[in-house]
Amino acid sequence: MSTPQQSSANPGGKSGLPWKRILVKTGIVAAGVGACGAVVLGLALALAWPSLPDLHAMTDYRPRVPLRIYTADKVLIGEYGEEHRNVLRFDEIPPVMRQAVLAAEDDRFYSHGGVDWMGVARAVLTNVVKGSKSQGGSTITMQVARNFYLSSEKTYSRKLYELLLTFKIENELTKDQILELYMNQIYLGHRAYGFAAASRAYFGKPLSEVTPAEAAMLAGIPKAPSRFNPITNFPRAEIRQHYVLGRMKALGYLTPEQADEALKQRLTIRGADGTSARGFAVHGDYPSELARQLMYGVFQEETYSKGIDVYTTIDSKAQEAAYRAVRDGVMDYTRRAVYPGPEDQIDLPDGVESDAQALDEILDGVQDKTPDSEDLLAAVVLSASPTEVKVARSARDIITISDKKALAVVARALNPKASDSQRIRRGSVVYIHKTGGKDSDTWEIINMPALQAALVSMAPQDGAIRAMIGGFDYNRGNFNRVTQAWRQPGSNIKPFVYAAALERGFTPATQISDQPFMLTAAQTGSKDWQPKNDGNKYEPMLTLRQGLYRSKNMVSIRILQAISPQYAQDYLTRFGFDKSRWPAVLPLALGAGGATPLQVVNGYGVFANGGYRVTPYLVDHVTDRSGKVLMQAQPVKAGDEAARAIDPRTAWVMDDILRGVTTSGTAARAHQVLKRNDVGGKTGTTNDAVDVWFSGFTPDLATTVWMGFDQPKSLGTNEFGSGLALSTWLDYMQPVLKGMPEAKQPPRPDGLLVENGEYYFAEFPPGQAVASLDLSSGDALTDFLNNNRSTDGVDTSVKPLPSPGGAALPQNSNNSAVQPPLQPIPVPSAANVAPGGMAGVATSGLPAAGIPASGVPAAGVPASGVPASGVRATGVPAAGMPAATLPAAGSAEDAAARASAVTTSSSVIARPL
């Protein structure tokens, strides 16, 4: 019996299933798996779909909107909050920006249903190959879903919810709505959310003005905001930009010519290469920060998310002119001073220039330690000689400095024999500055200035602050010297003493001795005191007018002694000065007291506006996101007799005298440069030129400039208020007054007599007014203290006025602050204002507080009258000074915030210039 042969279909001798049965079983298994998957998916959908969030937050989009600070002409100068946003409607977003985003992120956005399945498949394949979940296939809709509701973690469960939410978004919103949401809320680095905020942060311009090159740069950021933003890493951002421009060209958004032009455009990035990191067109850091403090005092933490818009009184053109004037003035002084040496010295390996990456790493470290300051750029010296210095900003940015004038500033430091601390050599870290404008190729080496400055400009009619610069560089410390620095005003205080004398019977024609004198230690109770005129130059006699024109110290001291230091001390409070900071001693006549630049300019505003004390204010009105006015300032204005500070005749005569100072006196350069007859002002220089000032005004604008070191020390023997401070004042006033018509002198007030071209109060007519304070005997001190007689034998006793020359001002412990009450508008949104507002102000308005305790002082105003303390019945001042009144020479009071000292020593007196 034969054995059956094995079938060729079953070579192994094993029984098997025909191929059809295999297919059937495979199909059954697949169907089962599919059914199970469908059930699982259905259950997942049933559970997940109802838990998906409502899209109300998208359709009624209300992001956390930061506090924004604007100038009076609606230029943004500040923004505060965790998220910087500018929400735009779809039609407000320029097409080039939309196209750049689509090219970079999702070119099939308008054709897919929310999920680009080809992109998803590509991402899945990449993840399988790499064995990780490192890549996704996110579309714009998916990114909107993730950024609104979901985390960014790369898990499959999160991806499922993202897909479901994506379908829901696509079902309920239009494509344009989705793209609008994406472009308003995507994070783009440096606290910028949305492309409008990013455009301002990186380019300092509104989104409507971006070029294709700038749009491509912005569109490249979302891929990796920390790595592809142009401030953090410009080379990487530029590579990404070129990719986006290539995609825009390939998709037909740009012609080849447009793409080539965009590739060639040189971008200026804010916050890089010495530009402002804050990204605003106007340097309004100091007023912006002050406004923020005021708002925080009312709204607390809601300040940064409520969407508050603050409109200040700042004029954008005036503010920028002030910034440039202060910057240039400080830089000019720094060039004249001795170059102190490099900022730092690093070890720079030989030949590192040939290794771009290594050099850039070194320079990055230098930038971290020695950051740029606007147009002052940190660089490392590669080589140095007396005729040429080569520095590096980056491996591809090597600058050669060979201009003879520029090198002359640092000539000592280029001498091989210079000390190690001063010498410029390879590895020195220096600051460089481009001279001759932006298009110039000429550079200079200059040290980071130590000199500081403050400029404040206000409208004397109502106190509106038009410009405020509180220091050389806000980013190096936001200490605001306008409101926080207490310094000696020097001769800047003299006009207020002279004004007091006018109300005590003096006239511009009063003759006063300019001869030197000395008080002995027995008379002062401490040390001898012998004040001097600048240069030890003295005249036999000068009129009061001439004494102020020429800023004569001897004349000022004699005036103060005649009216009494106590009277002058009280009189100063009418202008807003803090009585406690002005000891009633003779050095007061020379500025030995303490004042902030804001107080000083406010005082000069009284002369400019006819004798009214107004409160400087910064915030005009406050609105919410919808534009509803929440608060409105209602400042006191000149003309309101309740604000009368001094007799209108006093104000008029002082205005006339101070105009003469700018034409014939120590500030004559003001008239020479401005060529206007409506300008008055006064210089001020303290002893050893520790502080220099200039305060000047027109009827429409009063401006004070202060310059000095934070740690008080001499500016140098050749520095005066008539030079350094006046130059800065003129650099500001020239552009600001350009095109402004010259104001006529106001009409002469009633009760003011004229004889021989000079002015007399009606109650002190010629023959009765004080005619002279002179020296007629051999005893100069006796004559100084006791001689007060007229030339025609008429009794000219100094008589106290029955009133201070006008209605008394109410006592106010906070009347010198930067902001009068803002009256709230009765709208529902005002209900969110914190009860009571800031300390010391009624709940009916925005208070003036909110400034640090070291800020603006609470100078009082005398409630009524002015005492005649220190004046004899016959009008002759009491002989001598109380032993304890005159301070010891060399004594000092540290009354300044953050090392801004106020010296009240009798040995520290004012120069006349």
Side-chain angles (χ1 to χ4, degrees), residues 500-834:
L502 293 179
E503 297 197 10
R504 300 287 279 175
F506 283 71
T507 76
T510 299
Q511 295 279 334
I512 304 163
S513 170
D514 185 42
Q515 290 297 298
F517 73 93
M518 183 184 76
L519 295 180
T520 66
Q523 292 169 313
T524 66
S526 178
K527 297 181 179 180
D528 294 349
W529 185 53
Q530 187 173 2
K532 299 177 181 179
N533 283 339
D534 183 58
N536 286 319
K537 296 179 180 178
Y538 305 91
E539 307 289 337
M541 300 287 285
L542 290 172
T543 65
L544 179 145
R545 178 185 293 273
Q546 292 169 336
L548 192 56
Y549 280 7
R550 299 170 65 179
S551 197
K552 289 287 191 172
N553 289 343
M554 298 300 103
V555 172
S556 301
I557 295 171
R558 283 182 165 87
I559 289 174
L560 180 63
Q561 178 66 12
I563 65 174
S564 89
Q566 291 78 16
Y567 178 85
Q569 180 191 50
D570 287 328
Y571 194 82
L572 286 178
T573 64
R574 303 193 200 180
F575 298 88
F577 294 103
D578 187 347
K579 182 176 181 178
S580 66
R581 293 180 181 270
W582 289 94
V585 293
L586 290 182
L588 180 151
L590 310 180
T596 66
L598 183 64
Q599 285 183 320
V600 173
V601 76
N602 195 29
Y604 276 87
V606 175
F607 296 138
N609 66 22
Y612 299 92
R613 165 93 175 278
V614 298
T615 301
Y617 73 106
L618 179 64
V619 176
D620 181 75
H621 65 281
V622 181
T623 68
D624 64 9
R625 286 183 67 237
S626 65
K628 287 184 178 180
V629 177
L630 302 180
M631 290 183 168
Q632 177 70 57
Q634 295 183 356
V636 174
K637 296 183 179 181
D640 182 352
E641 287 304 314
R644 168 70 62 189
I646 61 175
D647 191 299
R649 298 169 298 175
T650 303
W652 194 92
V653 172
M654 288 306 304
D655 174 60
D656 182 73
I657 295 175
L658 290 171
R659 290 186 186 210
V661 173
T662 63
T663 56
S664 307
T666 57
R669 189 155 57 97
H671 185 269
Q672 296 168 5
V673 173
L674 297 177
K675 294 179 172 58
R676 299 174 66 104
N677 296 313
D678 60 348
V679 177
K682 182 69 183 72
T683 56
T685 308
T686 62
N687 195 46
D688 293 329
V690 171
D691 300 276
V692 294
W693 299 73
F694 185 79
S695 295
F697 59 86
T698 69
D700 298 315
L701 197 66
T703 304
T704 287
V705 172
W706 164 85
M707 304 181 89
F709 295 104
D710 281 340
Q711 294 289 343
K713 64 178 182 179
S714 176
L715 294 169
T717 56
N718 294 320
E719 300 298 340
F720 300 92
S722 59
L724 187 59
L726 176 57
S727 295
T728 299
W729 187 89
L730 286 170
D731 286 346
Y732 165 73
M733 293 294 280
Q734 276 186 281
V736 171
L737 293 179
K738 186 176 182 180
M740 188 180 295
E742 183 176 311
K744 294 182 179 179
Q745 189 172 20
R748 192 168 70 243
D750 293 338
L752 200 59
L753 310 178
V754 182
E755 182 169 305
N756 295 326
E758 274 299 6
Y759 305 103
Y760 297 78
F761 286 11
E763 61 268 36
F764 298 119
Q768 296 184 33
V770 177
S772 67
L773 291 175
D774 61 8
L775 298 169
S776 59
S777 72
D779 186 348
L781 180 58
T782 299
D783 283 335
F784 164 65
L785 296 174
N786 298 304
N787 189 16
N788 179 12
R789 53 180 172 71
S790 71
T791 55
D792 56 5
V794 178
D795 180 18
T796 59
S797 301
V798 180
K799 302 177 179 67
L801 296 181
S803 71
L809 291 176
Q811 191 77 17
N812 182 350
S813 64
N814 199 29
N815 53 30
S816 186
V818 188
Q819 184 68 40
L822 280 149
Q823 299 302 323
I825 305 301
V827 294
S829 53
N832 292 326
V833 176

Side-chain angles (χ1 to χ4, degrees), residues 106-130:
D106 190 357
D107 57 40
R108 298 182 63 249
F109 172 72
Y110 280 96
S111 61
H112 62 61
V115 179
D116 185 353
W117 292 109
M118 292 180 60
V120 171
R122 182 170 58 250
V124 170
L125 180 61
T126 301
N127 291 340
V128 170
V129 171
K130 292 187 175 182

Side-chain angles (χ1 to χ4, degrees), residues 363-375:
L363 295 174
D364 287 345
V366 169
Q367 279 288 331
D368 290 340
K369 187 176 180 181
T370 313
D372 296 337
S373 172
E374 296 291 335
D375 52 357

Side-chain angles (χ1 to χ4, degrees), residues 65-70 76 78-79 85-86 200 308-310:
V65 179
L67 169 71
R68 295 196 181 102
I69 314 295
Y70 294 89
L76 185 68
E79 188 173 63
R85 296 184 186 270
N86 287 87
R200 191 180 66 249
I308 300 169
D309 290 337
V310 180

Side-chain angles (χ1 to χ4, degrees), residues 152 158 243 291 316 365 371 462 606 661 707 831 908:
S152 59
R158 195 275 303 165
Y243 164 78
S316 62
D462 65 357
V606 175
V661 173
M707 304 181 89
V908 180

